């Protein structure tokens, strides 16, 4: 099988990328939220108070990532891991030892910046830079590390916290990062991979090397972002308000909880499918398709009173998440090259983190103002439908300006 042959030849680099996204879990919202109840109790915070602190720390991390993320363009991937992993471990220790709101906010800021931010950024930048003809496969296998983390860490953390408490659980997380994650990832990625070939198919010609300044001035970049931001904005918003939506529908809280397993399975499966399609057709060509299931998912959730609406929503969301997680790792190298990919991706990730931070607050304010939440979800679906057309235009424009593929013999 092609995927098995690919893994045989590239196991160390793909495994390193997978472990980076897997251990990025320590900075992901779902993992930090496992301690939310204890944090609110110990600090005397309301749901809104903790949410505001979390939003501020997340926005600060988004603002910092473009400055820090470009370091991977200057030093090796392995060296970047040596810088990022100890700081993420320090953030876990700070979360455990914090006794003031200032220390708590600093801990969350560092967790978000170096967990969700840098670990994921390093992984996808490395895959985008090291792989060309098989970039889709590399990115898809790297991306599912997040989903495996979602399946493993919540259960593990809850079990450990029941035995040793939530604070000592964060200390254990720091130990795992330094004693397990860092040595394993460094040993896998210390040897840089050179792309063995670049696809000679005109679907995937060699892009010229854009600087970050040139990318920011490119109208096509901002048009593509209009679609790219939809999955994180919609997903975070719906997950954040899932309890409120369940109350509106009269659903048991277990309905949404059970549906996450469906989403994870669909995400993993379609991430691998997307990798195969990208390698065959290119990320630019399949760009218009990733919002189709997301648009449908919003309409299903908004219109369905029965509990199956949650399952249908999460299944379709998983399809879109699977496509987008792989697509976003491969799209930017195709559009803008790999020389300045670290700086370009850090800006993109920062904007996406900003969208995830703003979404719950914006929709919450609309709910407080009396705007129907199902109506808001319909609006999100309609937005995706419009974006499908715009992404089609972006794809055509991007293909039209691509250079012709060069002969394979002239490539390193």
């Amino acid at each position: 099988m092609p995927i098995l042959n690919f893994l045989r030849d590239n196991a160390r680099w793909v495994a390193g990328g997978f472990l980076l996204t897997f251990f990025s879990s320590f900075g992901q919202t779902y993992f930090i939220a496992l301690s939310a109840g204890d944090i609110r109790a110990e600090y005397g915070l309301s749901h809104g108070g903790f949410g505001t602190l979390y939003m501020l720390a997340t926005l600060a991390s988004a603002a910092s990532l473009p400055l820090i993320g470009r370091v991977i363009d200057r030093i090796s991937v392995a060296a970047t891991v040596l810088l990022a992993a100890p700081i993420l471990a320090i953030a876990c220790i700070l979360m455990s030892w914090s006794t003031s709101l200032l220390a708590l906010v600093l801990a969350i800021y560092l967790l978000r910046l170096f967990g969700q931010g840098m670990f994921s950024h390093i992984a996808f930048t490395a895959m985008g830079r090291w792989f060309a003809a098989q970039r889709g496969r590399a990115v898809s296998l790297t991306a599912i590390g997040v989903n495996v983390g979602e399946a493993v860490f919540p259960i593990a953390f809850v079990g450990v916290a029941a035995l040793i408490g939530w604070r000592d659980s964060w200390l254990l997380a720091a130990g795992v990062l330094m004693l397990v994650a860092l040595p394993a990832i460094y040993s896998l990625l210390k040897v840089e991979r050179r792309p063995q070939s670049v696809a000679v198919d005109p679907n995937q010609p060699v892009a010229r090397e854009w600087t970050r300044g040139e990318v920011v001035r490119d109208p096509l970049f901002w048009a593509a972002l209009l679609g790219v931001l939809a999955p994180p904005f919609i997903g975070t918003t719906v997950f954040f308000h899932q309890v409120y939506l369940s109350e509106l529908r009269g659903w048991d809280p277990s309905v949404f909880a059970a549906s996450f397993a469906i989403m994870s399975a669909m995400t993993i499966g379609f991430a691998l499918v997307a990798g195969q399609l990208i390698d065959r057709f290119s990320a630019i060509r399949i760009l218009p398709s990733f919002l189709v299931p997301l648009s449908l998912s919003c309409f299903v959730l908004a219109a369905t009173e029965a509990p199956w609406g949650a399952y249908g929503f999460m299944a379709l969301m998983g399809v879109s998440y699977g496509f987008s997680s792989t697509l976003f790792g491969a799209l930017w190298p195709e559009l803008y090259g790999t020389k300045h990919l670290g700086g370009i991706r850090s800006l993109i990730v920062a904007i996406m983190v900003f969208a995830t931070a703003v979404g719950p607050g914006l929709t919450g304010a609309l709910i407080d103002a009396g705007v129907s939440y199902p109506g808001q979800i319909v609006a999100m679906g309609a937005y995706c439908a419009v974006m499908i057309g715009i992404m089609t235009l972006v794809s055509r424009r991007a293909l039209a300006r691509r250079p012709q593929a060069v002969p394979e013999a002239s490539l390193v």
Side-chain angles (χ1 to χ4, degrees), residues 26 56 88 133 178 211 221 225 228 295 309 315 351 359 365 371 377:
F26 294 150
L56 292 174
L88 182 57
M178 294 304 296
T211 66
F221 170 73
L225 273 184
V228 166
S295 180
I351 296 172
V371 178
I377 297 174

Side-chain angles (χ1 to χ4, degrees), residues 298-360:
C298 292
F299 294 135
V300 168
L301 186 63
T304 308
E305 298 282 345
W308 70 261
Y311 302 130
F313 167 79
M314 293 295 256
L316 289 166
M317 174 70 80
V319 176
S320 185
Y321 267 20
F323 267 84
S324 62
S325 63
T326 302
L327 180 66
F328 299 164
L331 176 65
W332 309 113
E334 286 187 23
L335 285 175
Y336 301 116
T338 60
K339 184 176 182 180
H340 304 287
L341 185 59
I344 295 167
R345 283 204 82 261
S346 64
L347 175 63
I348 295 164
V349 173
I351 296 172
M352 294 175 69
V353 171
F354 180 83
T356 63
V358 169

Side-chain angles (χ1 to χ4, degrees), residues 43-73:
Y43 288 90
L45 295 169
S46 65
H47 289 275
F50 180 60
T52 300
L53 292 179
Y54 190 79
M55 182 183 71
L56 292 174
T58 299
L59 290 175
S61 72
S64 303
L65 188 59
L67 301 175
I68 297 173
R70 62 197 310 172
V71 69
I72 198 171
D73 291 332

